[in-house]
Amino acid sequence: MKPSKEKFTITYKGKTIELPVYHGRQGPDVVDIARLYKETGLFTYDPGYRSTASCKSRITFIDGDKGILEYYGYPIDQLARNGNFMETCYLLLHGELPTSVQYEEFNEDIMKHSMLHEQIVKFYSGFRRDAHPMAVLVGVFGALSSFYHEHMNIDDPVFRNRATVRMLAKMPTIAAMAYRYTLGWTFVDPRGDMSYAGNFLRMCFLNPMYEYEEDEVLSRAMDRIFILHADHEQNASTSTVRLASSSRANPYACVAAGVVSLWGPAHGGANEAALNMLKEIGTVDRIPHFIERAKDKNDPFRLMGFGHRVYKNYDPRAKVMQQTAHEVLKHKGIDDPLLEVAMELERVALSDDYFIERKLYPNVDFYSGITLRAMGFPSSMFTVMFAIARTVGWVAQWREGITDPDQSIGRPRQIYLGPTMRDYVPMSERG
Ligand code: SDX
């Protein structure tokens, strides 16, 4: 961080202090408030962390006003159009795009570790068949921590790299098994000669009675969707992983905590919620009614897949997602009326003052459900695929956080509004 010539001064109860300001490579400057409490007795109050930078990072840059998203400086649309997910994983983990040799070695290492220990497979049988796949993912992925705990040494780069490879490699296998378990289908092991995305689709959709024929267009679409969802700065689930790992907990368990946070409909669960919303709207003529509901403060209904804490412009991922939706629907010969509803809903909302004033635009979750449904997935699997993609972001941010000398256990304070001290009253005297 580069110190700014500007200072931040604060005067409180007649005392003025000066706090240092720092420039990042790009984006807002930050004021370092580490001394604030010690020198003024003040805490800052920022529920939802709207004005708070929780860490330093070099991985992902977002400019919400301009609708910019870059992974180590590479624009997301260029990576989505020209690269592949494994290449993007290497970039997020190492800060540079791989050479062809580095790529082959990385890809092979991931494939080699994509099988599950047979004891892990036994965990599935404890779930009900109608369990939500995200609940299964949380449980089974978290269980990995029981298999790889004995050598846990997060200060050892060898342990970190082994944990990194295992988490990236096993997440799609666990996810595909969670899907097949809900259907009562036998599990399918990964193959070593397929792409990460192609392998995942085969593990989900293979019918063992027939040879599996990979659909390259769908594998490419899946790969692109993984790229779009790979990382996104300090979002709720990534911040969960960082906070959990700040106590130096087992990284497999910390990533499982990220899965939990992602599940919420305000976050990664919005892709499932957005498709369910489009189904509820059903037809274009019902859009005005739902737009009015979304604007009504007394109605809890919100446009799912719309709005974002950071983007006050069009989410750059949503544009690529919309194009991918058209591509997959055309390839599959599907004329999905919900795509027309989604595009008309976007058009009406973006011309409505309520949404314009609040800078509410479609986000990454608005179109993804239409694409994933066309690929054959039930909406309950949509956030699972978000979790597969985001695993590399969680792991990259975990690695960055635990090796940052400035980081210590995350322990926020509070403003206390409860009762002042009072003496215990025996139950017999409580009336
Ligand atoms: C993801 O953080 C990330 O980077 C997340 C993510 C990632 O890649 O990790 O990008 C992935 O989670 C995308 C977001 C998915 N969630 C949804 O699509 C759910 C619907 N969106 C909203 O719940 C909301 O927009 C949030 C949660 C995404 C953002 O909430 P904020 O930043 O707290 O915004 P806010 O609630 O303060 O909204 C500001 C105003 C409010 O109105 P006023 O009180 O000012 O009158 O906008 C309104 C809100 O009521 N508003 C909406 C709305 N979103 C915000 N009104 C209707 N529909 C919406 N979707």
Side-chain angles (χ1 to χ4, degrees):
M1 294 193 296
K2 190 173 157 223
S4 167
K5 294 186 185 69
E6 303 293 326
K7 295 297 178 195
F8 182 88
T9 58
I10 181 169
T11 299
Y12 181 64
K13 291 184 178 175
K15 179 180 177 183
T16 298
I17 67 166
E18 211 174 68
L19 295 171
V21 175
Y22 295 98
H23 300 303
R25 176 69 52 81
Q26 49 188 355
D29 292 345
V30 295
V31 54
D32 180 342
I33 59 167
R35 298 187 349 252
L36 183 71
Y37 175 60
K38 190 175 172 189
E39 297 190 17
T40 68
L42 283 170
F43 290 152
T44 59
Y45 179 59
D46 185 16
Y49 309 118
R50 294 170 188 272
S51 304
T52 295
S54 60
C55 63
K56 307 192 297 280
S57 183
R58 291 175 174 75
I59 301 172
T60 291
F61 175 71
I62 302 171
D63 182 323
D65 294 328
K66 295 177 185 162
I68 290 173
L69 169 57
E70 296 165 354
Y71 295 160
Y72 275 102
Y74 293 99
I76 190 68
D77 61 318
Q78 290 187 30
L79 290 168
R81 285 190 176 75
N82 306 315
N84 67 48
F85 182 61
M86 277 294 102
E87 185 184 33
T88 302
C89 287
Y90 188 96
L91 171 65
L92 290 169
L93 293 169
H94 300 288
E96 295 296 340
L97 288 169
T99 63
S100 54
V101 170
Q102 289 167 333
Y103 175 76
E104 291 307 327
E105 286 172 359
F106 179 72
N107 203 39
E108 188 183 340
D109 205 13
I110 296 292
M111 285 305 141
K112 269 192 323 194
H113 289 82
S114 52
M115 296 280 285
L116 295 188
H117 191 294
E118 266 309 290
Q119 292 302 105
I120 283 272
V121 177
K122 294 185 191 304
F123 275 93
Y124 288 87
S125 60
F127 289 98
R128 287 173 31 169
R129 291 286 180 177
D130 62 352
H132 194 291
M134 283 297 284
V136 179
L137 198 69
V138 170
V140 178
F141 193 89
L144 289 178
S145 58
S146 69
F147 281 73
Y148 305 115
H149 187 76
E150 72 290 347
H151 304 305
M152 193 184 94
N153 175 4
I154 60 175
D155 298 320
D156 176 359
V158 173
F159 170 83
R160 291 201 297 269
N161 289 334
R162 191 176 293 125
T164 295
V165 168
R166 281 175 170 151
M167 288 192 273
L168 265 62
K170 298 181 192 304
M171 182 61 93
T173 309
I174 291 172
M177 288 184 177
Y179 170 57
R180 293 180 76 95
Y181 181 76
T182 61
L183 297 170
W185 293 354
T186 55
F187 292 151
V188 176
D189 288 327
R191 288 176 59 115
D193 59 355
M194 292 184 78
S195 72
Y196 192 86
N199 225 335
F200 171 66
L201 293 178
R202 178 180 174 277
M203 288 191 283
C204 287
F205 296 127
L206 172 92
N207 179 336
M209 290 173 59
Y210 306 99
E211 277 308 306
Y212 181 77
E213 285 182 35
E214 182 179 9
D215 182 327
E216 297 284 348
V217 171
L218 297 190
S219 294
R220 177 74 194 120
M222 189 80 262
D223 189 273
R224 190 183 306 147
I225 290 170
F226 285 159
I227 293 171
L228 295 175
H229 289 80
D231 191 56
H232 212 242
E233 201 213 64
Q234 305 311 319
N235 57 85
S237 54
T238 297
S239 298
T240 300
V241 173
R242 277 185 173 258
L243 188 58
S245 60
S246 72
S247 71
R248 301 173 61 78
N250 183 301
Y252 300 87
C254 295
V255 169
V259 176
V260 171
S261 174
L262 184 75
W263 192 2
H267 188 12
N271 52 20
E272 178 177 2
L275 189 78
N276 292 339
M277 173 193 72
L278 292 173
K279 288 178 187 171
E280 185 186 1
I281 295 172
T283 53
V284 168
D285 62 308
R286 284 161 50 87
I287 286 174
H289 167 69
F290 283 88
I291 289 281
E292 290 314 307
R293 284 190 58 193
K295 293 157 56 174
D296 179 356
K297 289 294 161 223
N298 300 316
D299 188 330
F301 177 81
R302 287 286 176 274
L303 288 191
M304 301 316 283
F306 243 82
H308 198 277
R309 172 59 59 76
V310 178
Y311 289 122
K312 303 309 171 188
N313 199 324
Y314 212 103
D315 183 334
R317 301 168 297 176
K319 286 197 176 69
V320 184
M321 277 309 314
Q322 189 195 89
Q323 288 154 7
T324 305
H326 282 292
E327 183 186 303
V328 168
L329 288 174
K330 184 177 174 214
H331 173 71
K332 298 278 285 185
I334 297 172
D335 178 16
D336 186 348
L338 292 187
L339 181 58
E340 185 196 354
V341 172
M343 293 179 68
E344 178 62 10
L345 180 60
E346 174 187 336
R347 188 193 66 76
V348 172
L350 295 188
S351 57
D352 183 295
D353 286 345
Y354 173 93
F355 295 89
I356 294 169
E357 285 159 14
R358 291 165 179 81
K359 299 182 179 178
L360 301 174
Y361 291 85
N363 59 52
V364 68
D365 295 307
F366 190 60
Y367 287 102
S368 55
I370 292 171
T371 309
L372 297 173
R373 181 168 81 146
M375 294 171 81
F377 289 106
S379 57
S380 60
M381 276 294 288
F382 294 175
T383 311
V384 170
M385 283 173 277
F386 197 148
I388 294 171
R390 187 54 55 89
T391 298
V392 65
W394 292 328
V395 172
Q397 300 268 355
W398 163 68
R399 291 158 63 105
E400 186 176 61
I402 57 171
T403 55
D404 178 349
D406 284 359
Q407 289 294 302
S408 58
I409 189 165
R411 204 301 186 190
R413 300 300 304 274
Q414 63 180 17
I415 182 166
Y416 178 69
L417 302 178
T420 52
M421 200 281 282
R422 53 184 170 162
D423 292 327
Y424 178 81
V425 176
M427 196 177 290
S428 59
E429 296 174 22
R430 289 182 210 149

